[in-house]
């Protein structure tokens, strides 16, 4: 059905126009990185549970004039009540859609919560908390009248310094995929459409593109890497039923993301069977016809570019300063875009299907979108939508805090053991200009003043309040013993005052930070300010000096980092007086309370830390697989992903580089023992056999590892040796055949699946193309991996266990990849069995020749541990 067409085959004069599909040429040396043209745009199929909604949307669209249809596809302006507003259809009372940032809350609104950043959600490794965060954000968007929330963000953090990494879920596609899906489920469960972004390869801010950018980089990504790393979380989003996707500013293989027909028509809509709509990032379009044919469905915010022409055209269907609007009517009339394509752009209205309370034709009682008047007065502004979300924000703040060092168990603290405490650093205190303004006047948190609880840019929200650490620690200590001496030195640079206080204190806590954000704001506002991406991976405000100065005169120096991503800690991490380090990320409005819960065992909500790094902390910047391209004279700077699938920890493993703190690392106040690894085949290819035998088929040989103590931490784990389980039963090769058959893009019935596969296959294996998220078989369970964890310490706490797989050799896979995790609460002495499920997709590789996923055949290594390098149990299974 979906073909690669040469221009000669297109048949109409209009399609031969240079604006309709010829990709930009590649500069010398990059010729292989050219995106093919994939036409026509596959219409929404209305498969699975989307059927009735798509039908409903089609019926709705059938009754509209072309001008009315155009109003649904094109934004009005950015001065409306929301950052994105579609036109309306007054004839039938359709009030249009409100689209609003951000991935951590409702942007630019009052009486909303400002919760933890995406990167902190990921650092909890807790699917329930991540989903609860999604629900809370959804309730606030919904309460403000937002139809389409512009999150989650799920770019991969390829470069440690990339400005917007903190909006997303870290450096591993599996972790990002789980977090993305859980966030979407949460958001959409309360009737808001989620938007997964930025599709795709939007991995740095420098030269990212958009109307203000003279240079737009091309992310050159090979097919295997695209599928196995960067697309993975988007596929999980589609599988989770995400209603909207946002294409990014940058180019991929020379072609701008919002008109990349291979990626939109070919990958998103055909291969992943996406049934929702894809919108442009704000002013990311650089052309009108090409995006329409490439499958783009909505032009946001409507105008041609920031500062270019009128920015506020009230009627999209007549708007002339737009790539679409009136121009899209002309494109239909002159034959360059079929009207059926415009109809298809609105099939997304079917997204209303499962969203309670929203209907096609009514407005919303809200701040953000539609006005409700009473006697001519607007009555529904300033609605308070916070509910009790502060509780969840505090819980996630503590649950996402990662304990990196804890010499001689100096943490947790007890107020009764402290006589005199010093608190250091501007990051411990309030913002001098208030939590939502900058002394430079920059908007969107474009400064690093006071304690850092979110980055800057469009991915933000206004704080209703921001609890700073000094205030929270003071309040907590005083609630137990008001006679403790508490001295705060908030000046980062006054070494004398720091020393004076540190040398008298028995306990010193140093707060440091590192910030980043979106490229339109330089921070600090100086010529060498950070243009979104960080210029370095070290602490801001001379944090290294601050720590070393305090540690020089305080034998118990505890460091707390509020950082957007990995920070190099070599300048002080081994200092004997730096006794403990907490990596708290960007916790949001309850920051101070959350850190008190982790620091103090006598806090009413004391929390044993269980956060784990969602990325690697290297010893030096050059250890990472890739870095930011800061300078280029090319119009299209070329960023080639030469490391392939080996980003983050995969690169360190592959090249034998020792990180300072590995991916997945985090200590606890307790200790845990792992035992009893079992791998059981449960998948479709076994179902027939399982019916004749009630005993589970064990396909692994489990051996207990002796590598039980982390080199970099004090977590000691006792591993009980489990009996080796033997029965080796190879999984039938028909699994691979059936996955491949259903992954085929052919519309004909699966031809290559053989009798065995068909007989034992679940119905989804034979479903036609258009399965949501790719062939349904990929998401079928194949194996379960189970093991026992026991809390062998004296403190109750959560243990985050992680499952890594080593693929059969010569499949081009990294030494190990994350494929499962769980956060399990255990009281002292308690044991629990953890069972993780592997889907067919989790043991498959993308076959670039066959253009489908195929189960990797051979011997898999199973590694279960408490980080990517602290593996406690190992086993194997055969496929
Ligand atoms: C980009 O180019 C690489 C190398 O030729 C190719 O493997 C990949 O499929 C291309 N991707 C897109 C989206 O064009
Ligand atoms: C398009 O939307 C605008 C803005 O809401 C509205 O004023 C106009 O009447 C709409 N046009 C049509 C044809 O419905
Ligand atoms: C059709 O109209 C569009 C929008 O004005 C324009 O960009 C395109 O060049 C036109 N194509 C032809 C073949 O006239
Ligand atoms: C790193 O960047 C920050 C923020 O611009 C700056 O404060 C700091 O001095 C820089 N560090 C080094 C070592 O240059
Ligand atoms: C550690 O702190 C003590 C003060 O308690 C100080 O005398 C000592 O020199 C410090 N150690 C280092 C290595 O700075
Ligand atoms: C189906 O596949 C299985 C496993 O590879 C094989 O043993 C069997 O012979 C095949 N059957 C047919 C009809 O091709």
């Amino acid at each position: 059905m979906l073909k690669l067409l040469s221009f000669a085959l297109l048949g109409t004069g209009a399609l031969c126009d240079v604006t309709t599909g010829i990709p930009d040429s590649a500069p010398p040396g990059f010729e292989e990185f050219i995106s093919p043209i994939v036409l026509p745009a596959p219409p929404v199929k209305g498969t699975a549970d989307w059927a009735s909604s798509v039908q409903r949307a089609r019926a709705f669209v059938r009754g509209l004039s072309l001008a009315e249809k155009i109003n649904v596809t094109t934004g009005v302006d950015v001065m409306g009540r929301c950052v994105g507003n579609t036109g309306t259809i007054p004839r039938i009372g359709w009030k249009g859609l409100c689209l609003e940032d951000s991935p951590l809350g409702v942007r630019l609104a009052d009486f909303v919560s400002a919760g933890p950043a995406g990167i902190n959600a990921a650092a909890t490794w807790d699917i329930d908390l991540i989903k609860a965060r999604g629900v809370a954000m959804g309730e606030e968007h919904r309460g403000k009248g937002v139809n389409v929330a512009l999150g989650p963000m799920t770019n991969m953090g390829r470069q440690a310094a990339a400005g917007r990494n903190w909006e997303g879920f870290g450096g591993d596609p599996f972790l990002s995929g789980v977090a993305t899906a859980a966030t979407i489920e949460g958001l959409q469960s309360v009737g808001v459409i989620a938007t997964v972004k930025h599709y795709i390869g939007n991995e740095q801010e420098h030269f990212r593109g958009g109307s203000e950018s003279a240079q737009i980089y091309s992310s050159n990504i090979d097919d295997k890497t695209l599928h196995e790393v960067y697309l993975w979380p988007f596929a999980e989003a589609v599988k989770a039923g995400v209603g909207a996707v946002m294409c990014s500013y940058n180019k991929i293989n020379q072609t701008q993301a919002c008109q990349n027909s291979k990626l939109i028509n070919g990958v998103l809509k055909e291969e992943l069977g996406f049934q929702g709509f894809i919108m442009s990032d704000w002013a990311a379009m650089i052309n009108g016809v090409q995006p329409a044919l490439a499958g783009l469905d909505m032009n946001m915010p409507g105008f041609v570019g920031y500062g270019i022409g009128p920015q506020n055209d009230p009627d999209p269907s007549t708007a002339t300063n737009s790539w679409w609007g009136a121009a899209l009517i002309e494109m239909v009339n002159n034959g360059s875009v079929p009207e059926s394509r415009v109809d298809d752009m609105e099939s997304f209205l079917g997204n209303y299907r499962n969203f309670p309370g929203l209907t096609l034709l009514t407005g919303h009682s809200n701040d953000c979108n539609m006005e409700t008047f009473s006697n001519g007065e607007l009555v529904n502004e300033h609605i308070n939508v916070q509910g009790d979300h502060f509780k969840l924000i505090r819980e996630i703040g503590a649950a996402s805090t990662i304990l990196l060092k804890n010499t001689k168990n100096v943490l947790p603290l007890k107020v009764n053991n402290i006589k005199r405490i010093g608190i250091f650093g501007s990051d411990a205190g309030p913002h001098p200009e208030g939590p939502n303004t900058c002394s430079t006047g920059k908007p969107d948190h474009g400064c690093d003043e006071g304690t850092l609880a979110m980055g800057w840019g469009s991915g933000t929200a206004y704080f209703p309040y921001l609890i700073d650490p000094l205030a929270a620690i003071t309040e907590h200590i005083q609630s137990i013993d008001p006679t403790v001496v508490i001295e705060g030195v908030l000046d980062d640079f006054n070494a004398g005052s720091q020393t004076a206080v540190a040398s008298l204190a028995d306990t010193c806590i140093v707060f440091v930070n590192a910030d980043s954000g979106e490229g339109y704001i330089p921070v600090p506002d100086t010529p060498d300010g950070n243009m979104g991406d960080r210029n370095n991976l070290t602490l801001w405000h001379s944090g290294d000096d601050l720590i070393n100065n305090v540690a020089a005169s305080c034998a118990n120096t505890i460091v707390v980092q509020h950082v957007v991503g990995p920070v190099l800690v070599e300048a002080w991490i081994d200092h004997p007086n730096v006794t403990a380090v907490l990596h708290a990320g960007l916790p949001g409005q309850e920051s101070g309370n959350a850190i008190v819960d982790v620091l103090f065992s006598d806090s009413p909500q004391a929390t044993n830390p269980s956060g784990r790094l969602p990325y690697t902390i290297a010893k030096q910047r050059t250890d990472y697989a890739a870095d930011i391209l800061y300078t280029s004279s090319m119009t299209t700077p070329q960023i080639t992903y030469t490391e392939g699938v080996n980003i983050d920890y995969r690169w360190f493993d592959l090249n034998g580089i020792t990180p300072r703190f590995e991916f997945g690392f985090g200590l606890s106040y307790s200790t845990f023992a792992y035992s009893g690894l079992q791998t059981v085949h449960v998948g479709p290819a076994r179902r027939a056999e399982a019916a004749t035998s009630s005993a589970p088929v064990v396909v692994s040989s489990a051996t207990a590892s002796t590598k039980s103590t982390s080199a970099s931490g004090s977590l000691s784990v006792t591993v009980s040796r489990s009996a080796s389980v033997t029965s080796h039963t190879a999984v039938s090769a028909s699994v691979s055949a059936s996955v491949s058959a259903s992954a085929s893009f052919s519309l004909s019935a699966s031809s290559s699946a053989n009798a065995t596969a068909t007989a034992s296959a679940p119905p989804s294996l034979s479903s036609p193309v258009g399965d949501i998220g790719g062939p349904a078989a990929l998401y079928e369970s194949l194996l379960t991996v189970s093991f026992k964890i026991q809390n062998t310490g004296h403190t109750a706490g959560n243990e985050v266990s992680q499952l890594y797989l080593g693929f059969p050799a010569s499949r081009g896979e990294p030494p190990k990849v994350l494929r499962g995790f769980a956060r399990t609460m255990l009281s002292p002495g308690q044991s629990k069995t953890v069972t993780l499920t592997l889907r067919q997709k989790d043991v498959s590789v993308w076959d670039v020749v066959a253009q489908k996923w195929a189960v990797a055949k051979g011997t898999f290594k199973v590694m279960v541990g408490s980080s990517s390098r602290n593996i406690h149990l190992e086993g194997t299974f055969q496929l």
Side-chain angles (χ1 to χ4, degrees):
M1 185 66 195
L2 197 71
K3 285 173 261 173
L4 218 124
L5 299 179
S6 78
F7 293 106
L9 286 175
L10 290 176
T12 84
L15 288 171
C16 291
D17 189 293
V18 286
T19 61
T20 60
I22 296 173
D24 299 348
S25 59
F30 299 93
E31 290 86 353
E32 74 176 288
F33 295 104
I34 284 279
S35 268
I37 294 162
V38 179
L39 296 171
V44 165
K45 296 180 183 70
T47 35
D49 60 338
W50 295 74
S52 62
S53 61
V54 169
Q55 242 169 23
R56 196 170 156 214
R58 288 213 175 108
F60 174 69
V61 171
R62 226 173 285 133
L64 303 181
S65 70
L66 182 55
E68 287 168 341
K69 291 177 198 171
I70 298 304
N71 256 14
V72 182
T73 66
T74 304
V76 180
D77 56 59
V78 283
M79 280 78 150
R81 293 207 151 226
C82 311
V83 300
N85 308 276
T86 67
T88 62
I89 307 176
R91 181 177 62 82
I92 54 171
W94 189 72
K95 297 199 165 185
L97 297 175
C98 157
L99 299 82
E100 187 65 37
D101 292 316
S102 76
L104 63 65
V106 186
R107 183 186 176 204
L108 303 174
D110 55 5
F111 303 108
V112 296
S113 303
I119 199 68
N120 278 56
T124 67
W125 298 62
D126 184 317
I127 299 169
D128 296 332
L129 284 179
I130 296 170
K131 187 168 176 183
R133 173 177 175 269
V135 171
M137 293 191 301
E139 285 170 351
E140 300 203 5
H141 277 286
R142 181 68 194 271
K144 286 289 189 183
V146 175
N147 304 98
V148 183
L150 303 176
M153 181 307 214
T154 193
N155 296 118
M156 284 306 311
R158 174 178 179 263
Q159 297 102 312
R164 301 184 73 176
N165 285 354
W166 56 273
E167 296 183 44
F169 302 115
D172 177 81
F174 183 88
L175 176 60
S176 294
V178 171
T180 298
T183 304
I184 288 164
E185 281 161 19
L187 277 164
Q188 297 198 154
S189 70
V190 294
V192 170
I193 298 173
T195 308
V196 65
K197 66 186 189 183
H198 311 86
Y199 189 70
I200 197 170
N202 187 176
E203 296 287 342
Q204 70 166 50
E205 288 299 285
H206 282 77
F207 316 122
R208 75 164 181 188
S211 54
E212 294 139 299
S213 187
Q215 294 163 283
I216 309 179
Y217 65 78
S218 171
S219 289
N220 301 328
I221 314 177
D222 69 82
D223 196 32
K224 178 181 171 76
T225 301
L226 179 87
H227 280 85
E228 295 185 8
V229 179
Y230 298 92
L231 184 66
W232 183 289
F234 286 95
E236 299 291 339
V238 173
K239 181 68 181 171
V242 74
V245 174
M246 183 193 292
C247 51
S248 52
Y249 288 111
N250 56 287
K251 301 179 180 191
I252 300 93
N253 285 10
Q254 323 307 330
T255 302
Q256 209 267 345
C258 293
Q259 59 190 48
N260 192 311
S261 61
K262 163 71 179 167
L263 287 168
I264 302 177
N265 287 342
V267 175
L268 182 67
K269 293 191 172 181
E270 193 66 30
E271 184 184 322
L272 298 183
F274 175 58
Q275 310 273 300
F277 70 105
I278 175 164
M279 71 184 83
S280 66
D281 203 336
W282 268 230
M285 286 169 75
I286 55 172
N287 179 288
V289 177
Q290 213 164 316
L293 297 179
L296 187 74
D297 300 311
M298 189 183 281
N299 169 13
M300 277 292 150
F303 55 61
V304 160
Y306 285 95
I308 304 171
Q311 305 282 290
N312 195 3
D313 201 324
D315 185 351
S317 62
T318 57
T320 49
N321 186 44
S322 175
W323 289 115
W324 284 2
L328 187 49
I329 296 183
E330 221 173 294
M331 291 172 218
V332 171
N333 289 337
N334 74 16
S336 31
V337 174
E339 188 161 357
S340 58
R341 180 71 266 278
V342 177
D343 292 350
D344 196 64
M345 290 174 185
E346 4 233 282
S347 308
F348 76 84
L349 292 171
N351 282 325
Y352 285 95
R353 74 204 196 293
N354 292 325
F355 299 157
L358 284 187
T359 62
L360 287 174
L361 304 178
T362 57
H364 324 279
S365 128
N366 60 61
D367 270 20
C368 203
N369 188 5
M370 289 302 138
E371 306 83 353
T372 300
F373 291 94
S374 171
N375 299 327
E377 288 286 304
L378 198 52
V379 294
N380 59 342
E381 289 183 302
H382 312 298
I383 293 173
N384 183 347
V385 294
Q386 297 167 91
D388 64 354
H389 299 155
F390 66 92
K391 291 180 187 163
L392 179 70
I393 291 169
R394 179 171 182 168
E395 183 183 358
I396 295 178
S400 59
T401 298
I402 304 159
L403 179 62
L404 293 179
K405 181 177 178 180
N406 194 16
T407 313
K408 286 181 254 155
N409 297 323
V410 298
L411 292 181
L413 301 171
K414 269 199 164 76
V415 171
N416 288 335
N417 295 337
I418 300 172
K419 290 192 173 63
R420 186 162 192 142
I421 187 169
I423 312 287
F424 303 87
S426 60
D427 186 73
H431 292 201
E433 313 291 323
N436 295 310
T437 43
C438 295
S439 55
T440 54
K442 293 277 181 194
D444 295 324
H445 301 273
C447 55
D448 184 17
E449 295 165 4
T451 195
L452 185 70
M454 69 173 68
W456 76 79
S458 67
T460 54
Y462 291 143
F463 289 108
Y465 57 82
L466 175 52
I467 306 287
D468 62 82
L470 177 57
I473 292 170
T474 302
E475 184 183 320
H476 173 64
I477 291 175
Q478 296 218 316
S479 74
I480 293 175
D481 181 358
T483 71
V484 173
V485 174
I486 307 169
E487 292 180 283
V489 182
L490 301 183
D491 187 331
D492 296 309
F493 303 100
N494 191 332
S497 310
Q498 293 157 11
T499 304
V501 168
S503 55
L504 294 174
D506 53 67
T507 306
C508 299
I509 310 183
V510 184
F511 286 84
V512 289
N513 68 36
D515 202 355
S516 76
E518 204 172 345
Y520 63 88
I521 306 174
V523 178
D525 200 4
T526 58
D528 65 344
N530 300 261
M531 300 299 296
D533 306 315
R534 281 186 281 165
N535 288 336
N536 61 52
L537 292 184
T538 46
L539 293 168
W540 289 33
H541 308 305
S542 292
D544 288 349
D545 294 344
L546 170 63
I547 294 167
N548 280 323
N549 189 47
V550 171
S553 39
C554 182
N556 186 20
T557 300
I558 296 156
V559 174
V560 177
Q561 304 186 329
H562 287 122
V563 288
V564 288
V567 160
L568 303 179
V569 296
E570 299 309 302
W572 45 266
I573 191 70
D574 287 329
H575 193 298
N577 286 353
V578 173
T579 49
V581 178
L582 286 165
H583 185 91
L586 302 172
Q589 71 193 43
E590 288 282 328
S591 180
N593 288 333
I595 204 67
V596 161
D597 294 341
V598 176
L599 283 168
F600 290 91
S601 61
D602 45 17
S603 163
Q605 289 174 238
T607 302
N608 184 349
S610 65
R612 299 294 163 90
L613 287 173
Y615 42 70
T616 298
I617 298 180
K619 290 186 174 174
Q620 51 185 352
R621 182 171 185 163
T622 49
D623 286 348
Y624 288 104
D627 209 336
I628 305 289
L629 180 71
Y630 289 100
T631 56
S632 173
S633 54
M634 300 171 89
T635 318
T636 305
Q638 301 288 311
I639 300 180
T640 302
Y641 292 19
T642 49
E643 73 289 345
V645 296
N646 297 300
I647 59 169
D648 202 84
Y649 65 95
R650 300 149 168 239
W651 179 258
F652 288 76
D653 287 349
L654 184 70
N655 294 291
I657 304 166
T658 306
R660 171 51 67 172
F661 296 110
E662 71 272 17
F663 176 86
F665 180 80
L667 303 172
S668 166
Y669 297 154
S670 194
T671 54
F672 301 90
Y674 285 66
S675 64
L677 178 66
Q678 285 214 346
T679 306
V680 176
H681 186 256
V682 296
R686 275 282 150 219
R687 277 184 194 162
E689 192 168 312
T692 62
S693 147
S694 55
V697 186
V698 177
V699 295
S700 83
S701 157
T703 50
S705 153
T706 49
K707 297 180 274 176
S708 59
T709 312
S710 158
S712 44
S714 62
L715 179 71
S716 81
V717 175
T718 332
V719 176
S720 26
R721 289 188 172 272
S722 63
S724 156
V725 197
T726 41
S727 160
H728 272 266
T729 314
V731 171
S732 160
S734 65
V735 169
S736 155
S738 55
V739 171
S740 300
S742 58
S744 152
F745 294 152
S746 151
L747 267 175
S748 63
S750 63
S751 51
S752 59
N754 74 17
T756 314
T758 311
S760 62
S764 53
L765 280 176
S766 57
S767 66
V769 294
D771 281 352
I772 311 292
L778 289 174
Y779 297 90
E780 292 276 319
S781 304
L782 185 62
L783 298 150
T784 61
V785 174
S786 51
F787 47 91
K788 208 167 89 180
I789 318 178
Q790 184 178 21
N791 185 338
T792 52
H794 304 289
T795 311
N798 285 288
E799 169 68 351
V800 172
S801 51
Q802 300 157 41
L803 164 63
Y804 295 87
L805 292 184
F807 272 63
S810 78
R811 298 314 303 256
E813 295 304 306
K816 63 172 99 70
V817 295
L818 181 73
R819 283 295 188 262
F821 59 87
R823 180 171 182 254
T824 311
M825 184 54 153
L826 293 161
S827 48
Q830 191 183 13
S831 301
K832 279 185 190 163
T833 297
V834 174
T835 300
L836 302 171
T837 301
L838 291 169
R839 308 161 303 174
Q840 303 217 41
K841 185 177 170 184
D842 299 324
V843 294
S844 296
V845 292
W846 178 253
D847 182 332
V848 298
V849 177
Q851 287 293 296
K852 56 187 98 162
W853 291 94
V855 169
K857 285 182 218 149
T859 305
F860 279 80
K861 204 165 145 190
V862 181
M863 292 160 273
V864 172
S866 47
S867 84
S868 64
R869 292 203 166 201
N870 196 4
I871 303 296
H872 306 308
L873 302 171
E874 290 188 12
T876 58
F877 63 84
Q878 295 282 131
L879 290 182

